[in-house]
Amino acid sequence: MNPPYFDDVGEAIREDRPLKAAAAYRIRFGLEGLTFRNIDVPDPVPTGRQILDSAGVDRRADYLLFALLDSGDFEDIRLDETVDLRGRGAERFVAFKSDRDFKFKLNDRQMAWGHAELAGSVLYALADPSPEEAVFLEVRGGEDRLIEPDERINLDEPGIERFITAPRPNKGYVIVVNAVEETVPDKHVTFEQVVKLSHPNAPAETNVKFSMTYRNAASHPHAGELGEGGSVEVKKHGTIFNVTRTVQS
């Protein structure tokens, strides 16, 4: 009986079984990030060059290659180094067109990235926190800094070394209403909430009409007019609302 065309390395890891003899071995490959696609390598012990070749990457350029291990750690793979897919617990590989890597730790796991700029969303994908948790930059001797998914982190800055997951602080969202900072408990804010913050006695004023504009919102559009019954998603800090009160005759 002829062997199957390929065996899937990820399936073998999850089924806790050895790789089967096959013509090719399927792994996941990401270029410049964590968006993975399937590629097939011809050997269960490929070199880094064979992985790049199988991905259709021009290995004549400077590329960094990492194995994302089942433990969550990143492992450097030199292009002339072999990777034993039969026992390394690695099915995902990430390559960067770069000649320098930027190492950091996430929950005590060694990580690496091929560019100085790292999206907060990548940290969240790697950490996989629960809905009640967030990712923080650990600040020695100070207060750990909350990292939001839409943030961009410069790994080349001094002190960018270790990230951790911890319970998300329940401090609410700070918005600015008619030049006054206010705190709301949720990131979705309604027209009626903002009116109540700007004019606490509004419900008693039956002959008054309110209009509202906003800017620097997290939702799309980031700026515009908000009408009765409407809502916007605000940023953690800095979404600005202007409320106008008009007395009707």
Side-chain angles (χ1 to χ4, degrees):
M1 179 183 295
N2 292 328
Y5 170 68
F6 72 88
D7 192 15
D8 191 298
V9 174
E11 287 182 4
I13 292 172
R14 287 182 284 277
E15 295 170 6
D16 195 24
R17 62 168 174 82
L19 282 176
K20 303 171 184 176
Y25 299 88
R26 181 154 293 175
I27 58 176
R28 276 71 171 166
F29 179 83
L31 183 60
E32 307 289 350
L34 300 182
T35 300
F36 293 96
R37 59 184 173 90
N38 292 336
I39 65 170
D40 297 334
V41 294
D43 194 305
V45 191
T47 65
R49 285 189 179 86
Q50 284 179 305
I51 292 174
L52 293 182
D53 287 344
S54 297
V57 172
D58 184 1
R59 56 185 170 88
R60 293 173 298 179
D62 288 326
Y63 275 92
L64 301 175
L65 180 65
F66 301 97
L68 181 51
L69 303 181
D70 196 41
S71 64
D73 293 286
F74 271 66
E75 184 175 290
D76 298 353
I77 305 295
R78 297 189 305 274
L79 298 191
D80 58 353
E81 179 184 357
T82 58
V83 183
D84 192 343
L85 300 176
R86 299 169 298 188
R88 296 290 285 275
E91 64 163 317
R92 294 180 294 172
F93 295 82
V94 184
F96 297 90
K97 190 174 183 180
S98 176
D99 59 0
R100 179 188 174 190
D101 65 353
F102 298 84
K103 289 184 169 58
F104 60 94
K105 284 193 173 182
L106 175 60
N107 292 333
D108 291 323
R109 297 179 307 192
Q110 183 67 53
M111 299 285 179
W113 203 245
H115 300 295
E117 186 177 82
L118 176 68
S121 58
V122 170
L123 280 175
Y124 277 80
L126 292 169
D128 192 24
S130 70
E132 292 76 31
E133 293 180 318
V135 177
F136 295 80
L137 171 66
E138 188 176 64
V139 179
R140 294 177 183 177
E143 183 179 353
D144 295 341
R145 182 167 72 82
L146 174 67
I147 302 295
E148 293 288 3
D150 61 354
E151 189 171 341
R152 314 296 291 189
I153 303 134
N154 184 358
L155 296 175
D156 206 21
E157 287 183 354
I160 306 295
E161 297 177 357
R162 186 168 183 264
F163 299 90
I164 58 173
T165 54
R168 179 180 286 277
N170 187 21
K171 295 182 180 179
Y173 291 75
V174 177
I175 62 175
V176 179
V177 181
N178 288 356
V180 177
E181 285 194 354
E182 305 281 0
T183 301
V184 292
D186 189 75
K187 63 182 178 181
H188 294 100
V189 178
T190 67
F191 175 92
E192 286 72 22
Q193 280 179 290
V194 178
V195 167
K196 189 172 182 179
L197 290 170
S198 64
H199 297 81
N201 297 321
E205 298 178 317
T206 56
N207 63 330
V208 170
K209 181 177 177 61
F210 293 93
S211 58
M212 186 182 307
T213 61
Y214 67 90
R215 56 188 171 92
N216 199 33
S219 54
H220 292 278
H222 299 309
E225 295 184 2
L226 187 64
E228 292 183 16
S231 66
V232 296
E233 181 180 342
V234 299
K235 293 185 177 180
K236 195 68 181 178
H237 294 87
T239 302
I240 298 171
F241 295 85
N242 288 304
V243 183
T244 301
R245 173 179 176 271
T246 304
V247 178
Q248 298 178 315
S249 57

